[in-house]
Amino acid sequence: MDAIGLFEQASSDLFGVWFLMGAVLVFFMQAGFAMVETGFTRAKNAGNIIMKNLMDFCIGTVVFLLIGFNLMMAEDTLFGFVGIPNLNLFTDFANFPWSSFVFNLVFCATAATIVSGAMAERTKFNAYLIYSGIISCLIYPIEAGWIWNSNGWLFKMGFIDFAGSSAIHMVGGITALIGAKLLGPRIGKYTKGKDGKTVVHAIPGHSLTLGALGVFILWFGWYGFNGAAATQVGQLAQIFGTTTIAAGFATVTTMIFTWLKNGKPDVSMTLNGSLAGLVAITAPCANVDAFGAIIIGIVAGFLVVLAVEYIDIKLHIDDPVGAVAVHGANGLWGTLAVGLFNIYESDGITKGLFYGGGVEQLMKQFIGVLAIGAWTAITMYVVFTIIKKTNGLRVTPAEEIEGLDVSEHGLASSYADFMPVTNSYGGLVGSAPSNELIEEKVSVSSVSMDEAVPVEYNFPGNSLVKPKITKVTIITRQSKFDELKSAMNAIEVTGMTVIQVVGCGLQKGSSQYYRGVPVEINLLPKIQVEIVVTKVPVERVIEAAKKALYTGNIGDGKIFIYNVEDVIKIRTGETGYDAMQGEE
């Protein structure tokens, strides 16, 4: 073999390996979807969402191997509409196209998992598993075969969707829209105002950190998503470039748009903007130049904001993560954008409208999205309707309020710090140090149970005779605890109980938005510090606390003062002032 032949062989092998490595990157995107959906929803449903994202891929593997792959990529098709299944996996194992199977499997799982976020927090787990199996087995493979099987009717027509803006994202977005509509909104999302109009309520997700992590994972995986099918180094570099450009411009556009619109840049919407740009560039990534990628990204940045707000505020369809806007609306836009910005022409493919090719390619793109959209809408409406009328789609109101982690999976919480556990004696304990969970040794000064009880209750009679006992409860920022503790130590108050709580309230006159919807109530992490004093004047405690906690900003907190009727020390049976000694 000559040098040219060796180079061609090496290039072929290299891109064969890259093809599979790209599939691995797409698989890793499952983690990204799981993090985005978990972060943008409430903590009480985190385990349920993780489970759904895991099972999307696992169930998809089973049904795609047995049925879906043959429907999608079989050499023999029924008029270019559906592959004719064969038994090559079992009869000709050595020659089975494993690379093609693995590659198309990870994309199939992506189409299925898009729907999870839109139907989050109120869907029966078993109903979701049924849906996931059906879309991976039938719905996705058939329409994807139209586009990527060389015998598919859209492929032969010259329809272009290089990496799946329509085949994967638009299909997932349409399915999410139908599922969320038939399922209904989360409890409390929409209510009727006094004027009879529907009032939209913001339900913020519990962790933007997780959401951002998910977006970064997805962006990283998208280089495999868009680039895995590249066959030349130059083409791969172009795909990486257009993918990055579109996502970057979309993100900046969304940030500026929400900033001008709401007065502050919306974090969750900007994260959605990144995904919107990635979705929109997926179909044209190998067919557009830098200018085309810029325009596609800018439009995607505007489109995701407008679509999220229209679906939520106008259509009153509850989509917690914005899946319909990100994947549905921008999958449609990205596919049509090929007909506007395509820079190449070949047999059956013409340049885009803005590059002198006229409307021919745009019409092909339009026919393609119309056919794929109709197929998906009709079949998924039938699927969800049947599931709703037989198995049922939605959990009960009580289960939804409690959270799907408990009702569907038996998880007290997905976060260990908030999970009640029992010690070896069966007692309920919190996240205390281990030395607090064992029986303390009896010291010389300890008092036996017989001496400690019965307790004599000394209810206060004349307040002038009995020392006054006062409880001071302080709710403030977590970051101010060290300053508060130091201030209390300085006035000889050393005993306090500290609890992590969530502060609820909204300062009058403030205007805050979450995904374009006014936030009525802020839930912010706080600490609640309780101090019971007798010897130290309560006025000194209050003044010290005020000086330590004051910043002049909203959220400094509040101090509550209570009169305590009596105090009883369990170990000794002492009451009142005596019970408090050694505790402050």
Side-chain angles (χ1 to χ4, degrees):
M1 184 179 291
D2 58 17
I4 296 177
L6 288 171
F7 177 78
E8 290 177 349
Q9 181 64 45
S11 297
S12 176
D13 291 342
L14 175 64
F15 278 93
V17 172
W18 162 245
F19 185 72
L20 292 176
M21 290 303 298
V24 172
L25 289 176
V26 177
F27 167 74
F28 187 50
M29 291 172 70
Q30 287 292 127
F33 280 112
M35 295 300 98
V36 169
E37 294 168 16
T38 302
F40 281 8
T41 53
R42 289 171 289 189
K44 62 183 179 180
N45 301 298
N48 176 258
I49 290 173
I50 297 297
M51 193 71 166
K52 289 194 296 183
N53 278 270
L54 172 66
M55 297 314 300
D56 275 328
F57 184 82
C58 295
I59 289 177
T61 298
V62 174
V63 299
F64 192 72
L65 175 65
L66 297 177
I67 302 175
F69 179 68
N70 281 307
L71 295 179
M72 178 179 174
M73 299 303 290
E75 293 183 4
D76 299 322
T77 65
L78 188 63
F79 307 111
F81 282 92
V82 59
I84 299 174
N86 55 51
L87 300 176
N88 288 351
L89 169 64
F90 304 102
T91 60
D92 192 13
F93 180 86
N95 296 314
F96 187 74
W98 288 107
S99 293
S100 178
F101 167 74
V102 172
F103 182 77
N104 286 291
L105 168 62
V106 294
F107 281 88
C108 177
T110 300
T113 206
I114 288 169
V115 184
S116 171
M119 300 176 67
E121 304 200 82
R122 72 267 201 212
T123 305
K124 284 185 175 181
F125 183 62
N126 60 2
Y128 185 83
L129 296 183
I130 296 170
Y131 140 77
S132 182
I134 293 174
I135 193 173
S136 299
C137 175
L138 297 172
I139 311 304
Y140 168 79
I142 290 176
E143 56 86 12
W146 299 348
I147 302 168
W148 290 322
N149 189 322
S150 59
N151 294 312
W153 70 277
L154 285 178
F155 182 93
K156 290 183 175 181
M157 186 181 72
F159 176 79
I160 297 175
D161 184 358
F162 187 81
S165 284
S166 58
I168 297 169
H169 296 286
M170 190 181 76
V171 167
I174 292 173
T175 304
L177 179 67
I178 295 170
K181 176 63 177 177
L182 292 178
L183 187 62
R186 291 168 290 174
I187 295 172
K189 176 62 179 176
Y190 305 111
T191 59
K192 291 291 184 181
K194 294 180 179 179
D195 57 0
K197 294 182 179 179
T198 300
V199 179
V200 183
H201 303 279
I203 305 179
H206 84 280
S207 176
L208 283 174
T209 303
L210 283 180
L213 175 62
V215 170
F216 280 114
I217 291 174
L218 288 172
W219 194 326
F220 173 72
W222 228 287
Y223 291 113
F225 197 97
N226 285 359
T231 56
Q232 297 178 351
V233 174
Q235 185 187 37
L236 180 60
Q238 176 191 345
I239 291 171
F240 277 23
T242 56
T243 299
T244 305
I245 290 169
F249 272 84
T251 306
V252 173
T253 300
T254 301
M255 180 192 70
I256 294 174
F257 186 34
T258 58
W259 202 335
L260 295 174
K261 186 174 178 293
N262 300 327
K264 293 181 181 179
D266 189 316
V267 179
S268 69
M269 196 74 86
T270 303
L271 292 170
N272 274 159
S274 299
L275 299 180
L278 292 165
V279 168
I281 198 62
T282 296
C285 60
N287 295 77
V288 298
D289 57 15
F291 176 76
I294 290 171
I295 301 302
I296 290 169
I298 291 173
V299 173
F302 283 110
L303 182 59
V304 69
V305 178
L306 297 174
V308 163
E309 294 185 5
Y310 181 76
I311 292 166
D312 188 13
I313 299 173
K314 299 297 183 182
L315 298 182
H316 301 143
I317 296 175
D318 185 13
D319 177 2
V321 304
V324 178
V326 169
H327 300 279
N330 282 283
L332 171 63
W333 157 239
T335 308
L336 294 177
V338 177
L340 301 175
F341 301 102
N342 181 34
I343 60 175
Y344 302 116
E345 58 183 352
S346 59
D347 293 340
I349 297 174
T350 61
K351 290 185 177 181
L353 175 64
F354 297 151
Y355 287 79
V359 298
E360 183 178 346
Q361 191 62 43
L362 182 60
M363 292 305 298
K364 292 177 182 178
Q365 300 300 115
F366 181 77
I367 292 171
V369 297
L370 188 64
I372 296 167
W375 163 257
T376 306
I378 293 170
T379 54
M380 290 314 305
Y381 180 82
V382 172
V383 168
F384 280 128
T385 300
I386 292 174
I387 295 174
K388 185 175 182 179
K389 292 185 178 297
T390 54
N391 179 84
L393 271 177
R394 186 164 185 148
V395 297
T396 65
E399 290 172 330
E400 180 180 343
I401 292 170
E402 186 178 26
L404 302 190
D405 284 3
V406 175
S407 61
E408 293 283 76
H409 307 286
L411 293 174
S413 171
S414 296
Y415 299 90
D417 284 347
F418 298 94
M419 183 184 301
V421 296
T422 56
N423 60 22
S424 59
Y425 301 99
L428 192 65
V429 297
S431 55
S434 58
N435 64 334
E436 292 183 21
L437 306 183
I438 61 175
E439 186 177 355
E440 295 183 353
K441 293 181 179 180
V442 179
S443 64
V444 176
S445 59
S446 64
V447 179
S448 69
M449 179 65 72
D450 292 335
E451 293 178 77
V453 294
V455 174
E456 294 183 6
Y457 293 91
N458 296 319
F459 294 106
N462 189 338
S463 60
L464 297 176
V465 177
K466 291 285 186 179
K468 186 177 181 181
I469 305 173
T470 305
K471 182 171 78 169
V472 180
T473 299
I474 303 168
I475 298 177
T476 190
R477 310 172 194 272
Q478 292 181 345
S479 60
K480 301 292 285 185
F481 176 64
D482 285 339
E483 295 177 47
L484 178 63
K485 183 170 63 175
S486 298
M488 293 300 104
N489 285 335
I491 60 173
E492 300 183 347
V493 174
T494 57
M496 59 181 68
T497 301
V498 184
I499 308 168
Q500 289 188 335
V501 297
V502 177
C504 175
L506 182 65
Q507 186 73 14
K508 184 176 181 180
S510 67
S511 56
Q512 299 182 31
Y513 293 84
Y514 178 78
R515 306 175 73 79
V517 177
V519 177
E520 297 169 334
I521 295 178
N522 283 334
L523 296 175
L524 302 173
K526 300 281 187 179
I527 56 167
Q528 179 175 315
V529 181
E530 295 186 346
I531 304 168
V532 180
V533 293
T534 54
K535 185 168 57 177
V536 179
V538 68
E539 292 79 8
R540 289 189 63 193
V541 175
I542 295 170
E543 287 304 315
K546 287 168 63 177
K547 289 180 180 179
L549 303 177
Y550 179 80
T551 68
N553 298 315
I554 295 172
D556 279 350
K558 293 182 175 64
I559 300 174
F560 301 89
I561 312 299
Y562 304 91
N563 289 324
V564 177
E565 193 171 76
D566 205 352
V567 178
I568 303 165
K569 182 181 289 187
I570 296 173
R571 181 173 61 87
T572 64
E574 294 172 298
T575 63
Y577 179 85
D578 294 333
M580 293 295 300
Q581 302 315 300
E583 301 296 331
E584 295 181 1

